[in-house]
Amino acid sequence: MSGRSVPWVGEGNVALLTDLYELTMAQAYWRDGMNEPAVFSLFVRTLPRTRNFLLACGVADALALLETFRFSQDALEYLEGTGRFAREFLDWLGELRFTGNVHAVPDGTPVFGNEPIMEIEAPLIEAQIVETILMNQVQVQTLLASKAARVVRAAGGRTVVDFGLRRAQGADAGLKGARAFWVAGVDATSNVLAGKVYGMPIAGTMAHSYVQSFDHELDAFRAFTRVYPDTILLVDTYDTLEGVRHVVQLARELGDEFRVRAIRLDSGDLAELAFRAREILDAAGLEQVEIFASGGLDEYRIADIVARGAPITGFGVGTSMAVASDAPAMDVAYKLTEYAGRGRLKLSPGKRLLPGRKQVFRIEQDGRAVRDVLARRDELLDGRPLLRPAMANGRVVDESFLDLGLARARAREEIAKLPDRVQAIEPADPPYPVEISEALRAYGAEVGASVG
């Protein structure tokens, strides 16, 4: 084993970013000639206790992975070296490409428990072997977008900036998290790579270390504003209110050349400090200097600050959003619902699964969602169908699934259609209703009577 750093995941090795049983099952299917059409459904069984809805995200990346999915020669040589796979199977695997169809909800769509986010229709081995990577990508972005939507809601129209990269669970989550936050309505990110990859606004100020590297705080402010005149100055390295007074002194020194946009509070009672800082700034005629806050913020602290009427115009949110600290994982599942033209189900306690291809109909009244109905794919019910054809024969057929700007706009519009109690950060009472159609129930009973 090499002691050098592990390479990045890319097209050449992503097929190996899987659980071993996906490959051993694939070989067993291959041996027995089991590769007829199958349908797998990707969904979250139940919402975390602190979520009234989930914001589907990561579908675009999942589709891109399916389009380029392949086993490189290097990957096949590694698998051969494990001694677990026949050479003939590996040769077959080397030719494998995803040729199936996908129905999905686009990124930025609110979803609820047991509602499919994606349904994969493909020969059994193709659909099985992509399970892990699809779950990984949709899980992390849906998890983080759902958290960010709560933060944006709590901020009540004030600016929210993603500060989470350094605490994210690895590089991929750091990059994909910034994308998910943007979909959910966050205004900018400190993540420079995300800015380049996704075209998102990037934002940042200074760290305490910059101030500490000078003998005097005011000298640090003078030096930084010479390079970045319209910056945000971090004022709490030593004494917060004294730091605000240093900003006032800097304004007097610079006169008409003073262009500092805001101060940043990063510790302490942020609301109380904001009130006192505002008094100091206003008394000095610096009404145009805004107050930005960061430091251990989540939706609850932000909601409290807003409720207290603190004169804060923006928030930097890091750890709690980057790791979804109150609900860091979801009960995401990827389950076989049809094989060889027959519905398949599970009857395991707590993990029951309804068979067949599905559709979700969102029932709306006066432009607001009132309930969802989980139905069979071929049903024609009242309401708006949420799952749409995304891929056919292994290729994306609806480019709107890949459009990040559309995903962001969709999230804003679709969240606004939810009942107020569901949009709120407090638990919804009652929860948003999701019904099962009579036809789907009957089909489940029919299939259930034929198994076991």
Side-chain angles (χ1 to χ4, degrees):
M1 180 179 294
S2 170
R4 296 189 179 275
S5 61
V6 177
W8 293 94
V9 175
E11 287 187 15
N13 60 11
V14 70
L16 293 182
L17 193 63
T18 189
D19 294 299
L20 177 60
Y21 73 15
E22 309 290 7
L23 299 173
T24 55
M25 284 191 294
Q27 179 166 247
Y29 289 145
W30 174 80
R31 279 284 186 209
D32 289 340
M34 292 181 62
N35 202 25
E36 294 188 63
V39 178
F40 281 79
S41 184
L42 192 160
F43 59 97
V44 177
R45 287 193 179 95
T46 57
L47 271 60
R49 184 179 57 82
T50 53
R51 300 290 181 272
N52 294 330
F53 67 92
L54 300 177
L55 193 64
C57 201
V59 172
D61 286 322
L63 295 174
L65 282 166
L66 290 176
E67 276 200 323
T68 59
F69 188 85
R70 67 181 182 88
F71 285 87
S72 67
Q73 188 59 39
D74 181 65
L76 294 171
E77 289 173 2
Y78 166 75
L79 292 176
E80 185 174 30
T82 68
R84 297 172 183 267
F85 304 100
R87 181 68 254 176
E88 296 86 350
F89 171 68
L90 294 176
D91 290 341
W92 181 87
L93 209 59
E95 301 297 321
L96 181 70
R97 302 292 185 272
F98 183 78
T99 64
N101 306 328
V102 176
H103 282 69
V105 300
D107 286 345
T109 304
V111 294
F112 299 89
N114 288 313
E115 295 185 344
I117 296 173
M118 301 180 72
E119 288 205 326
I120 312 301
E121 306 166 4
L124 178 60
I125 298 175
E126 291 178 29
Q128 181 76 72
I129 213 164
V130 297
E131 172 182 7
T132 301
I133 189 61
L134 295 186
M135 289 179 68
N136 174 276
Q137 291 299 297
V138 173
Q139 143 94 7
V140 69
Q141 290 195 52
T142 298
L143 179 77
L144 298 180
S146 303
K147 177 67 170 182
R150 292 170 58 82
V151 172
V152 170
R153 169 76 177 187
R158 294 161 184 81
T159 298
V160 177
V161 180
D162 158 37
F163 280 2
L165 175 59
R166 62 186 59 194
R167 303 284 174 79
Q169 309 286 25
D172 189 63
L175 181 62
K176 303 295 176 57
R179 180 187 184 276
F181 301 151
W182 179 249
V183 169
V186 169
D187 297 286
T189 180
S190 66
N191 185 333
V192 179
L193 181 58
K196 179 181 185 298
V197 171
Y198 301 122
M200 298 165 51
I202 55 176
T205 58
M206 57 167 63
H208 291 102
S209 57
Y210 183 85
V211 177
Q212 291 173 278
S213 67
F214 290 79
D215 290 337
H216 301 286
E217 183 178 60
L218 182 54
D219 289 338
F221 292 172
R222 289 175 178 137
F224 203 73
T225 53
R226 282 196 292 270
V227 183
Y228 300 103
D230 59 351
T231 190
I232 298 174
L233 292 174
L234 179 61
V235 296
D236 76 327
T237 304
Y238 305 116
D239 179 282
T240 300
L241 297 181
E242 189 63 22
V244 179
R245 295 185 185 100
H246 284 153
V247 174
V248 170
Q249 185 174 342
L250 179 66
R252 290 172 179 157
E253 292 176 4
L254 295 178
D256 292 341
E257 295 182 4
F258 179 80
R259 290 160 45 192
V260 170
R261 290 187 295 114
I263 61 168
R264 175 178 155 211
L265 309 175
D266 192 55
S267 57
D269 185 334
L270 297 174
E272 178 61 26
L273 287 169
F275 283 119
R276 297 180 67 183
R278 185 76 271 161
E279 291 176 357
I280 295 170
L281 293 169
D282 289 353
L286 298 178
E287 294 88 352
Q288 80 281 7
V289 176
E290 297 181 353
I291 301 175
F292 185 86
S294 59
L297 293 175
D298 61 13
E299 65 266 45
Y300 301 106
R301 287 195 65 194
I302 290 173
D304 177 68
I305 289 169
V306 170
R308 291 166 67 181
I312 293 173
T313 58
F315 300 97
V317 186
T319 304
S320 71
M321 192 165 71
V323 302
S325 55
D326 63 325
M330 299 185 301
D331 191 11
V332 64
Y334 183 89
K335 297 300 177 184
L336 179 70
T337 63
E338 183 178 302
Y339 177 61
R342 296 180 55 197
R344 309 289 166 151
L345 49 63
K346 279 182 62 177
L347 300 176
S348 309
K351 295 183 178 182
R352 293 179 67 90
L353 176 70
L354 289 166
R357 306 168 196 228
K358 299 180 182 67
Q359 180 58 273
V360 179
F361 293 91
R362 182 147 294 164
I363 312 300
E364 296 167 335
Q365 296 176 359
D366 301 322
R368 302 295 294 272
V370 294
R371 70 182 186 280
D372 286 1
V373 180
L374 180 60
R376 299 190 70 180
R377 174 81 61 77
D378 58 1
E379 288 191 71
L380 296 175
L381 302 181
D382 292 336
R384 177 163 54 99
L386 300 186
L387 286 103
R388 301 178 355 210
M391 296 187 80
N393 303 315
R395 308 303 297 176
V396 172
V397 294
D398 185 347
E399 293 292 329
S400 70
F401 273 88
L402 309 181
D403 191 311
L404 185 56
L406 284 179
R408 179 177 169 87
R410 182 182 300 112
R412 181 176 62 250
E413 294 166 6
E414 294 293 333
I415 291 172
K417 292 178 182 179
L418 296 175
D420 291 341
R421 73 181 190 282
V422 178
Q423 294 184 49
I425 63 173
E426 300 81 14
D429 185 17
Y432 185 83
V434 178
E435 303 170 357
I436 300 173
S437 75
E438 289 300 321
L440 182 55
R441 286 186 186 277
Y443 186 52
E446 176 189 330
V447 174
S450 67
V451 301

